[in-house]
């Protein structure tokens, strides 16, 4: 039954949102993993193995915020 479900999901061309603790299932089905932590959502394009390898990489958002502030300042001035 599990294999039939996996095959059906792999053939489906639409979007599927699922929650699972089964790493094998996530690896086989997922193309994007979203992490909800500390009230923030981080998206990882890849399967569970990709997420697991990259989840501890910290991305500094400050440079992005500073560029945004500069762009907004240039628009209004």
């Amino acid at each position: 039954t599990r294999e039939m479900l996996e095959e059906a999901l792999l053939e489906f061309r639409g979007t599927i949102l699922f929650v699972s603790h089964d790493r094998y299932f996530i690896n086989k089905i997922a193309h994007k993993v979203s992490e909800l932590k500390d009230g923030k959502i981080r998206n990882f394009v890849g399967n569970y193995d990709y997420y697991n390898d990259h989840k501890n990489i910290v991305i500094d958002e400050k440079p992005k915020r500073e560029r945004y502030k500069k762009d907004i300042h240039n628009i209004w001035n």
Side-chain angles (χ1 to χ4, degrees):
T1 306
R2 178 179 167 171
E3 291 174 358
M4 290 173 57
L5 173 62
E6 289 173 354
E7 290 302 318
L9 293 176
L10 288 170
E11 290 177 13
F12 182 68
R13 295 291 170 220
T15 300
I16 301 169
L17 173 65
F18 65 89
V19 177
S20 177
H21 295 281
D22 184 336
R23 294 175 186 169
Y24 173 80
F25 178 78
I26 298 169
N27 262 341
K28 190 167 185 179
I29 305 298
H31 298 281
K32 179 178 172 183
V33 175
S34 296
E35 173 190 69
L36 176 59
K37 184 176 180 181
D38 300 327
K40 297 179 182 178
I41 296 176
R42 289 178 59 197
N43 295 306
F44 300 83
V45 179
N47 62 11
Y48 181 81
D49 286 339
Y50 180 87
Y51 159 75
N52 202 35
D53 290 343
H54 293 85
K55 67 182 177 182
N56 294 321
I57 297 173
V58 177
I59 299 170
D60 185 8
E61 293 289 327
K62 186 176 179 183
K64 187 188 295 184
R65 285 194 304 268
E66 293 303 319
R67 282 194 312 272
Y68 176 77
K69 286 179 186 176
K70 185 183 273 187
D71 290 344
I72 293 298
H73 178 75
N74 289 337
I75 290 171
W76 292 104
N77 292 319

